[in-house]
């Protein structure tokens, strides 16, 4: 064979240049990975470019030689075999392994006939590493590298360290890069799987939390509505019942008194109707909705209670100080409901003849005091249930309202000493305590 010095140097330089350009080419991961598909496409394109460049170089340097038809035929065979690779799939099936063996054998023959075809070694490294198990792939890389070194040394006129060391170095670097990228791809897939699990857990936790919040909100709304109904409609209905019963008892003996009881019961019914309509709209107390603020609503409440008692109970209202800023709506609504509930207890249970409402505005809080001269009672601890003899939800409902506003409730009473109920509500934002069950 007639190989000049230039052809030999060109052949020897070929694998080293190819190896350098192929360092970033190995593509780890499965074919389902878009990055792996893109890198595989680049490596396949590189193989055909190197194969075409090697064939073109041989035809330019060695025209008309007897081995030329063999080189052309083997190049075409190698190209056709390489094109069949994707058709056979990526799993190491027997057909796939047989195809790889034939591909490597044809390439070896080409390298023996023309060392410049050693440029295609790095794409074949990639193919073997992607198909074979790790140990078999490393053995194939070692075999191809040894064959490239042997073919180059056969053409060399003397010992050249570059021919012995450069191909193994390039093969080692290309293999290390491929293995590293493959492990990174595996770790990324595992990380993506863990992230999907975490996202699923987070979504499930959020759904559970939302369901819990809905249940808590439903229970809180039920408790609030029960207190609203107790402080308004239930009290009004109780008053109507007592008035109508009194009218029934005095209807024959004192028709005028019976009619007064009926008219008072009618007024209470009108008031309850207004409260019921207010519930339908926004659940705000009707007295506050009419304007005038909390002070006016308390004065109206005291006058109404006095009128409905028909001389049996006198309620007076007194306001001390003035607020530095309008009270929040929820504070006004809660204090009015507390006053209504406390007066309902006075009217139904205390036997008092006089009661007083005192609203005191301080710098950082507002205090509502409700006192009466009734028979009094023994005060139970704040956490204790009401005694069985005490009817209704009055004191627990009042305590729950105060606690929802972050305030404190104080009750001073004793048998025969009357009762003073004091609700102190801070005006600065305060985290409300857990309301007690008003049952």
């Amino acid at each position: 064979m007639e190989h000049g010095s230039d052809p030999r140097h060109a052949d020897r330089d070929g694998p080293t240049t190819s190896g350098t350009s192929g360092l970033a080419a190995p593509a780890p991961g499965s074919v389902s990975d878009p990055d792996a598909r893109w890198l595989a496409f680049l490596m396949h394109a590189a193989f055909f470019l190197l194969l075409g460049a090697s064939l073109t170089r041989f035809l330019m340097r060695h025209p008309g030689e007897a081995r030329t038809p063999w080189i052309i035929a083997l190049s075409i065979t190698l190209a056709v075999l390489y094109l069949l690779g994707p058709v056979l799939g990526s799993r190491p099936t027997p057909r796939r392994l047989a195809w790889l063996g034939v591909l490597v054998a044809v390439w070896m023959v080409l390298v023996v006939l023309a060392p410049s075809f050693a440029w295609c070694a790095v794409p074949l490294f990639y193919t073997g590493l992607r198909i074979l198990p790790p140990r078999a792939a490393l053995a194939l890389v070692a075999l191809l590298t040894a064959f490239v070194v042997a073919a180059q040394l056969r053409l060399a006129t003397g010992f050249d360290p570059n021919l012995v060391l450069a191909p193994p170095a390039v093969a080692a670097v290309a293999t290390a890069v491929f293995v590293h990228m493959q492990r990174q791809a595996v770790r990324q897939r595992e990380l993506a799987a863990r992230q999907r699990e975490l996202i699923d857990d987070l979504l499930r936790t959020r759904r559970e939390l939302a369901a819990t919040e809905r249940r808590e909100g439903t229970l809180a709304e039920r408790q609030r509505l029960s207190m609203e109904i107790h402080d308004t409609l239930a009290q009004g209905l109780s008053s109507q019942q007592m008035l109508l019963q009194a009218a029934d008892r005095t209807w024959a003996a004192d028709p005028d008194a019976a009619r007064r009881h009926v008219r008072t019961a009618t007024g209470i019914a009108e008031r309850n109707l207004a409260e019921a309509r207010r519930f339908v709209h926004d659940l705000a107390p009707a007295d506050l909705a009419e304007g005038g603020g909390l002070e006016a609503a308390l004065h109206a409440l005291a006058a109404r209670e006095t009128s409905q008692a028909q001389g049996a109970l006198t309620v007076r209202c007194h306001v001390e100080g003035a607020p530095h800023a309008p009270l929040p709506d929820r504070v006004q609504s809660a204090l009015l409901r507390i006053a209504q509930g406390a007066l309902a207890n006075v009217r139904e249970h205390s036997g008092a003849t006089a009661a007083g409402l005192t609203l005191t505005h301080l710098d950082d809080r507002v205090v509502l005091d409700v006192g009466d001269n009734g028979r009094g009672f023994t005060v139970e601890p704040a956490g204790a249930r009401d005694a069985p003899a005490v009817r209704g939800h009055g004191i627990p409902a009042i305590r729950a309202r105060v606690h929802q506003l972050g305030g404190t409730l104080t009750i001073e009473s004793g048998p025969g000493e009357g009762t003073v109920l004091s609700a102190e509500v801070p005006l600065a934002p305060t985290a409300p305590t857990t309301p007690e069950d008003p049952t």
Side-chain angles (χ1 to χ4, degrees):
M1 295 183 293
E2 296 180 359
H3 291 287
S5 60
D6 290 340
R8 287 202 304 271
H9 288 302
D11 290 343
R12 288 196 297 268
D13 293 341
T16 305
T17 306
S18 173
T20 304
S21 63
L23 290 178
S30 63
V31 294
S32 61
D33 185 354
D35 293 335
R37 289 199 302 269
W38 175 246
L39 292 175
F41 171 77
L42 292 179
M43 186 56 65
H44 298 332
F47 174 82
F48 286 107
L49 288 175
L50 292 173
L51 180 63
S54 299
L55 178 61
T56 302
R57 178 188 179 282
F58 177 83
L59 295 176
M60 292 176 61
R61 295 299 180 95
H62 309 285
E65 290 190 3
R67 54 183 174 155
T68 299
W70 290 102
I71 296 295
I72 296 174
L74 289 173
S75 298
I76 296 174
T77 302
L78 185 63
V80 172
L81 286 173
Y82 198 88
L83 287 174
L84 291 176
V87 178
L88 299 176
S90 60
R91 295 183 178 181
T93 59
R95 287 195 308 170
R96 183 74 164 169
L97 296 177
W99 166 82
L100 181 60
V102 174
L103 183 71
V104 171
V106 173
W107 173 80
M108 287 182 174
V109 174
L110 275 174
V111 173
V112 170
L113 296 178
S116 61
F117 283 92
W119 286 53
C120 300
V122 172
L124 293 179
F125 291 166
Y126 165 80
T127 302
L129 290 169
R130 192 165 60 92
I131 296 175
L132 298 176
R135 291 184 179 180
L138 293 177
L140 178 63
V141 170
L143 175 63
L144 297 180
T145 304
F147 195 81
V148 171
V149 173
Q152 293 293 333
L153 290 176
R154 184 175 61 86
L155 297 176
T157 56
F159 179 76
D160 187 350
N162 185 55
L163 297 178
V164 177
L165 300 178
V170 170
V173 172
T175 302
V177 170
F178 178 86
V179 171
H180 173 73
M181 295 178 66
Q182 191 174 40
R183 290 177 178 175
Q184 287 291 104
V186 172
R187 282 194 291 268
Q188 289 177 358
R189 288 195 294 272
E190 293 176 351
L191 179 61
R194 286 196 297 269
Q195 288 177 342
R196 286 193 295 270
E197 293 177 358
L198 291 175
I199 291 173
D200 293 340
D201 292 341
L202 178 60
L203 292 176
R204 182 170 57 255
T205 303
R206 290 182 62 181
R207 288 193 295 267
E208 293 175 354
L209 179 60
T212 301
E213 291 178 347
R214 285 194 297 270
R215 287 194 297 270
E216 293 178 351
T218 301
L219 293 176
E221 185 65 14
R222 288 177 179 175
Q223 179 179 347
R224 188 174 73 89
L225 287 175
S226 69
M227 292 187 296
E228 292 285 344
I229 293 172
H230 171 269
D231 293 340
T232 55
L233 300 181
Q235 294 174 6
L237 291 173
S238 177
S239 299
Q240 292 177 56
Q241 182 184 26
M242 291 188 297
L243 289 169
L244 292 175
Q245 288 173 349
D248 182 65
R249 289 192 300 268
T250 61
W251 192 267
D254 191 353
D256 292 337
R259 291 188 182 92
R260 287 196 301 271
H261 291 324
V262 172
R263 285 194 294 270
T264 303
T266 302
I268 296 175
E270 292 176 354
R271 194 69 194 174
N272 274 8
L273 180 59
E275 289 286 356
R277 289 172 176 170
R278 185 60 56 185
F279 284 162
V280 174
H281 288 87
D282 55 8
L283 294 178
D287 287 332
L288 292 177
E290 294 174 356
L294 178 60
E295 292 82 358
L298 291 177
H299 282 289
L301 174 63
R304 187 166 59 251
E305 290 290 337
T306 301
S307 174
Q308 292 173 2
Q310 299 181 356
L313 175 66
T314 301
V315 181
R316 292 182 173 84
C317 179
H318 177 66
V319 178
E320 295 183 0
H324 298 287
L327 296 178
D329 292 342
R330 62 191 300 263
V331 173
Q332 296 189 54
S333 177
L335 289 178
L336 180 57
R337 295 304 191 200
I338 290 171
Q340 290 174 336
L343 289 179
N345 285 341
V346 171
R347 182 178 64 249
E348 295 181 15
H349 305 300
S350 71
T353 59
L357 297 175
T358 302
L359 182 66
T360 305
H361 294 284
L362 302 176
D363 292 337
D364 58 348
R365 62 191 184 279
V366 60
V367 182
L368 175 65
D369 296 316
V370 182
D372 66 73
N373 62 351
R375 64 177 63 97
F377 62 96
T378 301
V379 180
E380 295 288 338
R385 296 284 181 177
D386 293 336
V390 177
R391 180 168 56 88
H393 301 266
I395 297 300
I398 292 173
R399 183 176 290 117
R401 289 186 186 277
V402 175
H403 286 180
Q404 287 175 352
L405 296 175
T408 57
L409 178 68
T410 304
I411 301 176
E412 298 178 359
S413 183
E417 298 180 358
T419 302
V420 176
L421 180 148
S422 179
E424 181 177 318
V425 178
L427 298 181
T430 303
T433 59
T434 303
E436 298 181 21
D437 185 5
T439 56

